[in-house]
Amino acid sequence: MTAAPPAHDNGEQNHQQQQQQYALVKRAEDEREDIFKRYELGLDPHNVVDSWENPTFEIYHITDKYGFMHDSRLPSSRDSQEVQRTKIELERDKKWVKMLNHWPPPQDKLHKRVYKGIPDRMRWPAWKQLLNVQQSMDNNVGVYARMLQMAKENATETRQIDADVNRQFRDNLAYRERYSVKQCSLFNVLNAYSIYNSELGYCQGMACVAGVLLLYMQEEEAFWALNTLITDRKYGMHGLFIEGFPKLTRFIEHHDRILSKIMRKLHKHFMKHNVDALLYAIKWFFVVFVERVPFSLSLRVWDIFLLDGDRVILAMAVTILYLHKDELLRLKDMDGIIEYLQVKLHKNFGYSDDDAIQALERVMKKLKDLKLDVPPPAKANEFPTRPLGVFVAADLEKKTGRRRDYTDTEKQVLTDVITRQEQNAIEVQSTVSYETSECATVTLTVPEDSHSIRSSLAGTSVASHGSSETMSLEDNNIHLKTANMLQNAPQREMLLGT
């Protein structure tokens, strides 16, 4: 029988462990302090910036009206259509100034003008009104400054936020230079919000959302606008970013339900090639189509989203697939389909912004007629349960910045998607031929729903693919390739917020 170690040995071990933990916490605190100091210095010449952090401007020759740079030269003169668009926007500026001075306007007038597109010069005051920013600031005087100060002393997400700020919208003049005013504002907003909403903390998709807001708002305005988008049930982004991503699960399932009813040919095509909606719709839902369609079009979608809420996201997802279904049906492998939806449409959408928004309106009307415009009700876990603005001390693991293992929720997410992919493979094999239907036309007919929605997949939210005994060797290779891609690439970072 082994003798128990002397009590003094146990005491010595405990003391060493405490010393190690103290050293880790101290290192994390020093790192946070150093990062905050660099952002406080901003563009001060004494601030230390690595050469790779400030890309040069020489290769860029054109900056668009939104501040994004492109590697092509501006035309020497504007064409007649551009001149006409400028004249129309100036006239609409005047109408918006008048309407904003008599807020709130009649709902039908507001709807009509938002769907025509908020003039870019009017987005700052219009978005603030739609998100009740001034009211939030008036009701919470001093709160943002207090949260930011507490973040400087206690934030545990600072390192990750710093890394994300450094890669957010780096092709935009506002964010191009390291520690620019907007970079510093983005850093401050995200750190302060990680303290304000302690249950959520920080998830990577939030950097893009806050980054868009800061293109049109001041720092504290963007903080309260972000809070409205996250906590207001009209937008409900808390459920997208919280662990387990329950809203993403709910929206993906409803998206699949819509496709299976009104675009069954495309739906079966996607299943045949193992294209799960999570492979292409993550950024659609997380950041409202930014960096997945041209920026000018994503702003038009944001305008409508801020007016009508999250049902717009589902309708726009269907609109994109409808407008491009012919090309998608011609693509015969998963890689080609995903590249088309994630990369090519961002560079060239193939339709004017006006045409795309008109199609979106038709889709929204048709989905409403079919009672498909609103997904099943949200569950309680999609909304904050802790009081906002109340400081909650982090545990030791968070304080030291130690990487945690997957939680049971995250493991279940992977398992559930594998189950869904196996079910999809079975459905594809049982289908002899494609059926056709139309979506954004007045003559839409709805076939009988032959695809029952699998209630057993309620936990699905991280995209990964598994194999099935009924799949071919090629199918297995595709599933393994996708699983590896999502476990090692930026998609995993986006989903898990690591």
Side-chain angles (χ1 to χ4, degrees):
M1 185 173 179
T2 305
H8 67 84
D9 288 348
N10 288 336
E12 181 66 24
Q13 289 177 358
N14 290 337
H15 178 70
Q16 290 178 355
Q17 288 178 351
Q18 289 176 356
Q19 289 293 101
Q20 290 173 353
Q21 290 173 352
Y22 173 79
L24 288 171
V25 171
K26 184 66 169 62
R27 185 178 67 181
E29 289 175 347
D30 290 344
E31 181 184 41
R32 180 179 64 235
E33 182 180 358
D34 178 63
I35 292 173
F36 266 97
K37 281 181 178 178
R38 282 188 267 127
Y39 278 92
E40 288 169 356
L41 281 172
L43 296 175
D44 189 303
H46 295 95
N47 205 353
V48 179
V49 181
D50 292 334
S51 58
W52 64 268
E53 292 186 289
N54 265 334
T56 58
F57 288 85
E58 284 77 5
I59 64 170
Y60 293 92
H61 314 294
I62 149 179
T63 304
D64 63 25
K65 63 187 287 187
Y66 306 107
F68 286 94
M69 295 174 287
H70 305 267
D71 192 20
S72 59
R73 292 186 179 277
L74 270 172
S76 57
S77 61
R78 296 190 300 167
D79 59 29
S80 58
Q81 290 183 340
E82 177 66 22
V83 172
Q84 184 63 23
R85 282 195 294 268
T86 301
K87 289 181 179 179
I88 292 173
E89 184 156 321
L90 287 172
E91 288 300 316
R92 291 173 51 234
D93 280 353
K94 297 175 185 177
K95 293 180 180 179
W96 271 89
V97 168
K98 185 177 179 181
M99 186 170 70
L100 288 165
N101 287 333
H102 297 85
W103 194 270
Q107 194 62 29
D108 58 340
K109 179 191 286 188
L110 180 62
H111 179 277
K112 182 178 179 181
R113 289 187 177 171
V114 169
Y115 275 75
K116 281 187 175 179
I118 301 174
D120 200 56
R121 285 177 291 273
M122 293 292 106
R123 280 202 169 92
W124 178 35
W127 284 12
K128 287 200 299 180
Q129 289 285 14
L130 291 169
L131 293 171
N132 296 315
V133 170
Q134 192 59 51
Q135 181 180 348
S136 296
M137 293 175 65
D138 292 342
N139 293 339
N140 296 278
V141 175
V143 171
Y144 174 67
R146 189 168 74 251
M147 293 299 108
L148 182 56
Q149 183 58 41
M150 292 176 70
K152 292 178 181 179
E153 299 167 359
N154 301 283
T156 60
E157 308 281 0
T158 300
R159 180 198 298 171
Q160 184 62 56
I161 290 172
D162 175 45
D164 293 343
V165 167
N166 196 18
R167 59 192 177 202
Q168 188 62 53
F169 294 147
R170 292 308 297 271
D171 57 344
N172 187 286
L173 287 176
Y175 294 96
R176 185 71 173 169
E177 195 168 2
R178 192 68 170 113
Y179 305 115
S180 64
V181 171
K182 288 298 183 181
Q183 273 207 1
C184 293
S185 292
L186 180 58
F187 175 81
N188 289 341
V189 166
L190 295 174
N191 274 284
Y193 198 79
S194 73
I195 297 294
Y196 183 75
N197 189 340
S198 59
E199 184 177 5
L200 177 59
Y202 172 70
C203 176
Q204 284 182 296
M206 294 164 61
C208 185
V209 174
V212 172
L213 294 171
L214 280 165
L215 288 174
Y216 293 96
M217 297 182 186
Q218 301 300 317
E219 188 173 304
E220 185 175 356
E221 294 171 343
F223 175 88
W224 292 113
L226 177 66
N227 182 59
T228 299
L229 291 175
I230 288 174
T231 61
D232 193 305
R233 288 178 177 265
K234 182 176 181 179
Y235 311 106
M237 284 188 156
H238 185 95
L240 290 173
F241 298 131
I242 197 70
E243 180 187 310
F245 319 108
K247 185 170 184 175
L248 181 64
T249 298
R250 185 166 58 94
F251 269 45
I252 288 292
E253 290 182 350
H254 193 65
H255 175 75
D256 285 346
R257 182 181 295 114
I258 293 171
L259 293 192
S260 71
K261 288 190 175 184
I262 64 178
M263 281 197 285
R264 290 204 286 182
K265 185 176 181 179
L266 184 63
H267 186 232
K268 293 182 186 296
H269 181 69
F270 280 0
M271 288 195 299
K272 178 181 179 181
H273 296 291
N274 301 297
V275 178
D276 192 285
L278 281 159
L279 289 172
Y280 59 81
I282 293 172
K283 269 209 166 182
W284 288 5
F285 295 163
F286 269 51
V287 297
V288 196
F289 303 95
V290 173
E291 296 179 337
R292 286 297 178 264
V293 300
F295 191 69
S296 60
L297 177 56
S298 68
L299 287 176
R300 295 283 298 274
V301 178
W302 269 67
D303 293 342
I304 300 168
F305 168 63
L306 298 187
L307 175 68
D308 285 338
D310 56 12
R311 66 189 184 94
V312 174
I313 298 176
L314 287 165
M316 186 61 188
V318 174
T319 302
I320 291 173
L321 298 180
Y322 170 73
L323 291 175
H324 299 278
K325 66 181 186 299
D326 291 339
E327 181 61 31
L328 290 168
L329 287 169
R330 281 194 287 268
L331 298 171
K332 301 303 182 183
D333 63 88
M334 182 184 70
D335 290 345
I337 293 170
I338 297 305
E339 182 185 9
Y340 186 84
L341 291 172
Q342 288 192 342
V343 179
K344 292 184 178 179
L345 291 185
H346 182 219
K347 295 178 179 178
N348 181 10
F349 193 72
Y351 294 85
S352 70
D353 293 352
D354 288 337
D355 289 342
I357 296 302
Q358 288 168 13
L360 171 61
E361 280 195 272
R362 293 195 296 272
V363 168
M364 292 181 71
K365 182 179 184 304
K366 191 54 59 178
L367 291 177
K368 186 175 183 180
D369 292 343
L370 299 172
K371 295 182 173 56
L372 290 170
D373 59 320
V374 179
K379 296 180 180 178
N381 62 346
E382 290 190 23
F383 304 101
T385 58
R386 295 180 190 170
L388 299 171
V390 177
F391 174 69
V392 177
D395 57 26
L396 182 64
E397 191 174 66
K398 285 189 175 181
K399 283 183 178 180
T400 57
R402 187 178 300 162
R403 289 267 182 175
R404 59 171 174 76
D405 294 331
Y406 286 125
T407 65
D408 290 341
T409 302
E410 291 167 347
K411 290 175 182 176
Q412 187 61 43
V413 158
L414 293 166
T415 301
D416 288 339
V417 176
I418 290 172
T419 303
R420 181 165 74 172
Q421 287 300 301
E422 292 173 345
Q423 180 63 31
N424 281 348
I426 295 170
E427 291 183 10
V428 170
Q429 287 197 336
S430 67
T431 302
V432 178
S433 63
Y434 285 142
E435 297 178 64
T436 59
S437 66
E438 292 297 331
C439 177
T441 61
V442 190
T443 58
L444 174 72
T445 58
V446 185
E448 291 294 323
D449 180 17
S450 62
H451 301 279
S452 60
I453 304 303
R454 298 172 293 282
S455 59
S456 63
L457 298 178
T460 305
S461 71
V462 176
S464 177
H465 294 289
S467 59
S468 166
E469 292 179 0
T470 62
M471 295 179 192
S472 66
L473 180 60
E474 180 182 2
D475 290 331
N476 283 329
N477 289 337
I478 290 173
H479 281 255
L480 290 171
K481 181 177 181 180
T482 308
N484 289 334
M485 176 181 73
L486 289 166
Q487 290 179 27
N488 298 307
Q491 285 96 327
R492 176 183 175 278
E493 293 184 353
M494 166 67 80
L495 281 166
L496 302 181
T498 55

